[in-house]
Amino acid sequence: MRRAYLDNNATTPLLPEVFEAMRPHFLERFGNASSIHQQGQQARSAVEHAREQVAELLNCRAAEIVFTSGGTEGDNLALFGLVQPGDHVITSAIEHHAVLNSCNRLEQMGCSVTYVPVDGRSLVDPDDVRRALRPETKLISIMMANNETGVLQPVAEIGKLAAETDVYFHTDAVQAAGKVPLEVKEIGCDLLTISAHKIHGPQGTGALFVRKGTLLQPLFYGGRHERSRRAGTENLAGIVGLGRAAEIARQGFSDESVARMKGLRDSLEKAILEGIEQVAVNGAGAPRVPNTANISFDCIEGEAMVIALDLKGLSVSTGAACSSGAIEPSHVLTAMGLSADRARGSIRFSLGKQTTAEDVDFARSLVPDVAARLREISPVYKKSASALS
Ligand code: PLP
């Protein structure tokens, strides 16, 4: 059976070039980067090369990169590394749970947190961030691109505000990396999180940009790895994979692969909007990353649609992968003002570098039929259709 994978915001497949770069480090080049001997030196130089590659993607110094086990750890290191009991944090209502649940824990530890709202396009208003500032505000943590809608936040404006008011600024750029250029100086952030598996690198590896001079308490205690910011033997093959994936991600802005992805996403969105009634793009009208289309289908249960499409060979998602199976509607979509029903009827289509025009054609051929079939058996749809006629 033909299959197409349009769930790249959950994870992306490893690119063959990335796998080839990693392969020797599972076998003959297996050293511990802290060892003095030859194998250790080879490992150290591979780790430092990867650090340079990641630094080039973010346009920062190599020494400002801390390797982590992924986006969740990067977000946790940024928040728990900086914030102390009594401090105030500003974040948004639509962050990934890696930030939101960390903020909940910070509140239990005696910090206060303001969750700024978003508008109907899921945009944070920098003036809301400004109004939330207090003398004890230590950190602003606002994501760059949302994982469900792909909407890009005005991070450069927020970064400017943070610099003017002498507050640290962290941005979770896990879903922005490889899709839009990331310039830490332009964003004006002190901390920025990325994750390898969202840019066609391996799962379980990531990096946190930590601006020079930003003192972080480590999450783990152990050796002096990563300049004492992250103890534990480096994940050599994973880090090499992240480095190569970062290099390819940077090239994507000049080799047209990002532009091609946008063309495919736009054609899919257009086909769904034109071919199916009572649908809407969530986040329409806001700046968005080029690979994501989050579409609400009235009178359809999103989980039922995901399952029906999966049975026909198309992998998509209802939102954040980690909340699959949850009965609760997406916190991102409800924060934008969608009703619980509309939020539950929303599907995320997310493309990757490997996505082909045939994959998109396949999706275009399946979605209208599946939507029609699900509506046929929906009592709510029947009622709304007869009310219209
Ligand atoms: N932040 C965002 C915006 C994400 O989309 C994700 C993963 O979906 C994470 C953080 C967590 O990253 P990881 O899976 O590498 O822990």
Side-chain angles (χ1 to χ4, degrees):
M1 185 176 77
R2 180 175 166 64
R3 280 210 75 90
Y5 180 80
L6 294 185
D7 196 16
N8 289 272
N9 285 10
T11 198
T12 53
L14 206 68
L15 287 173
E17 304 94 296
V18 174
F19 181 63
E20 286 312 321
M22 294 170 71
R23 187 201 293 271
H25 297 286
F26 290 114
L27 301 166
E28 65 272 18
R29 290 178 171 255
F30 57 85
N32 181 324
S34 302
S35 300
I36 292 171
H37 48 61
Q38 204 186 40
Q39 285 93 339
Q41 290 170 31
Q42 282 172 348
R44 170 58 52 206
S45 96
V47 167
E48 296 316 317
H49 178 59
R51 205 184 300 282
E52 298 279 349
Q53 289 169 310
V54 174
E56 274 179 40
L57 177 69
L58 306 183
N59 198 12
C60 65
R61 301 170 211 216
E64 293 174 314
I65 297 298
V66 178
F67 289 118
T68 65
S69 65
T72 301
E73 187 188 324
D75 287 346
N76 274 262
L77 180 55
L79 275 87
F80 291 102
L82 211 55
V83 181
Q84 304 284 323
D87 289 339
H88 173 238
V89 178
I90 302 172
T91 189
S92 82
I94 58 155
E95 298 296 311
H96 189 271
H97 284 113
V99 168
L100 282 183
N101 287 342
S102 295
C103 285
N104 292 344
R105 176 70 191 134
L106 285 172
E107 286 181 288
Q108 289 166 1
M109 288 163 59
C111 304
S112 51
V113 181
T114 303
Y115 300 87
V116 293
V118 292
D119 68 12
R121 296 165 299 166
S122 93
L123 282 171
V124 166
D125 180 348
D127 283 337
D128 283 337
V129 177
R130 188 186 292 279
R131 280 189 284 272
L133 285 165
R134 300 182 196 163
E136 67 275 20
T137 307
K138 182 73 168 279
L139 175 72
I140 300 169
S141 180
I142 306 274
M143 71 197 324
M144 189 160 173
N146 184 264
N147 41 304
E148 295 190 35
T149 60
V151 167
L152 286 159
Q153 298 300 331
V155 283
E157 268 183 79
I158 297 168
K160 206 158 154 257
L161 176 66
E164 281 164 15
T165 49
D166 215 9
V167 169
Y168 288 103
F169 177 36
H170 164 246
T171 188
D172 174 338
V174 166
Q175 294 290 350
K179 299 168 189 167
V180 291
L182 292 183
E183 296 267 342
V184 292
K185 291 184 191 76
E186 273 176 32
I187 298 169
C189 57
D190 302 288
L191 301 140
L192 178 146
T193 307
I194 62 166
S195 174
H197 75 108
K198 310 292 186 176
I199 57 167
H200 299 276
Q203 296 176 350
T205 311
L208 180 68
F209 157 75
V210 183
R211 182 180 299 289
K212 188 169 180 246
T214 309
L215 285 183
L216 283 188
Q217 280 299 319
L219 291 180
F220 313 140
Y221 290 87
R224 295 195 181 161
H225 309 86
E226 298 296 298
R227 297 171 175 237
S228 297
R229 294 171 296 189
R230 205 278 186 178
T233 300
E234 290 87 348
N235 170 4
L236 175 61
I239 288 171
V240 167
L242 168 60
R244 184 72 179 109
E247 189 176 38
I248 296 170
R250 198 163 61 90
Q251 287 159 2
F253 300 111
S254 44
D255 71 10
E256 302 288 299
S257 62
V258 173
R260 193 187 65 86
M261 200 157 67
K262 180 174 186 314
L264 291 176
R265 188 278 307 268
D266 290 348
S267 78
L268 175 64
E269 221 170 71
K270 189 162 177 277
I272 293 177
L273 288 180
E274 287 175 1
I276 308 174
E277 59 181 23
Q278 296 184 52
V279 295
V281 174
N282 297 317
R288 285 185 293 149
V289 288
N291 81 315
T292 308
N294 188 308
I295 299 181
S296 60
F297 296 78
D298 286 357
C299 310
I300 288 181
E301 195 60 58
E303 295 275 317
M305 186 141 180
V306 168
I307 294 165
L309 289 170
D310 186 42
L311 290 172
K312 290 190 175 291
L314 181 66
S315 303
V316 295
S317 154
T318 47
C322 25
S323 63
S324 277
I327 316 285
E328 292 295 301
S330 145
H331 69 285
V332 174
L333 301 178
T334 48
M336 292 167 66
L338 265 70
S339 68
D341 280 347
R342 228 179 188 188
R344 284 203 193 88
S346 297
I347 298 287
R348 179 183 72 186
F349 301 87
S350 53
L351 285 63
K353 284 214 155 110
Q354 79 293 355
T355 305
T356 60
E358 290 73 33
D359 291 332
V360 169
D361 287 346
F362 182 57
R364 288 169 61 156
S365 72
L366 288 181
V367 176
D369 283 354
V370 167
R373 206 161 44 80
L374 290 172
R375 280 176 174 167
E376 246 168 52
I377 56 170
S378 154
V380 198
Y381 184 68
K382 280 194 193 125
K383 233 190 271 167
S384 72
S386 59
L388 285 174
S389 60

